[in-house]
Amino acid sequence: QVQLVESGGGLVQAGGSLRLSCVASGLTFSYYSMGWFRQEPGKEREFVAVISRNGRTTEYADSVKGRFTISRDNDKKTVYLQMNSLKAGDTGLYYCAGDRTILTVLRTSPDEYEHWGQGTRVTVSS
């Protein structure tokens, strides 16, 4: 059974930082590119960042470029999202997701991802 478990969310003031983690089990982690998405009530799930299977390639939403960094540790089956200079607009439920792809493919549509975690909430107060 595949499980993705996120952690690290919380309440932070604008300008602060958080580091999210997502631990995977029940799958061959290195076969999957890993993405982070976020969602607020009443809104569509939004792409945040994605990292390739080997960790060498990343892509970010324009709204988080220069502030967020995605990384992964295949030995630990974990993907991270370092979030700096947080803004009120970053508030949401953050999900990690796995997309089984060939080595260098990075996809930003949530419809392409097979496996999802339950999410961790990030609240940024202004």
Side-chain angles (χ1 to χ4, degrees):
Q1 182 183 358
V2 175
Q3 278 195 310
L4 300 177
V5 180
E6 303 95 336
S7 62
L11 174 63
V12 63
Q13 287 189 332
S17 298
L18 285 173
R19 188 193 195 203
L20 306 184
S21 299
C22 171
V23 180
S25 60
L27 52 75
T28 305
F29 189 67
S30 61
Y31 287 3
Y32 289 79
S33 65
M34 297 298 296
W36 285 97
F37 295 80
R38 65 189 181 192
Q39 188 172 23
E40 287 195 86
K43 295 186 178 180
E44 292 189 353
R45 197 163 292 189
E46 174 189 24
F47 166 73
V48 175
V50 60
I51 188 166
S52 62
R53 289 170 49 181
N54 60 10
R56 295 178 182 174
T57 309
T58 58
E59 187 171 340
Y60 296 90
D62 287 343
S63 59
V64 307
K65 279 181 183 176
R67 300 187 298 120
F68 290 12
T69 302
I70 188 171
S71 60
R72 67 189 291 161
D73 184 332
N74 283 354
D75 290 335
K76 294 182 179 179
K77 294 187 175 183
T78 302
V79 60
Y80 305 96
L81 186 67
Q82 177 66 45
M83 305 187 295
N84 299 329
S85 302
L86 282 160
K87 305 175 181 178
D90 296 318
T91 293
L93 190 60
Y94 281 70
Y95 298 91
C96 73
D99 176 19
R100 182 157 181 169
T101 67
I102 60 175
L103 190 61
T104 57
V105 168
L106 299 177
R107 295 196 276 215
T108 62
S109 169
D111 295 337
E112 303 287 356
Y113 287 73
E114 294 93 346
H115 303 297
W116 291 85
Q118 293 300 306
T120 185
R121 179 156 297 280
V122 172
T123 303
V124 183
S125 63
S126 56

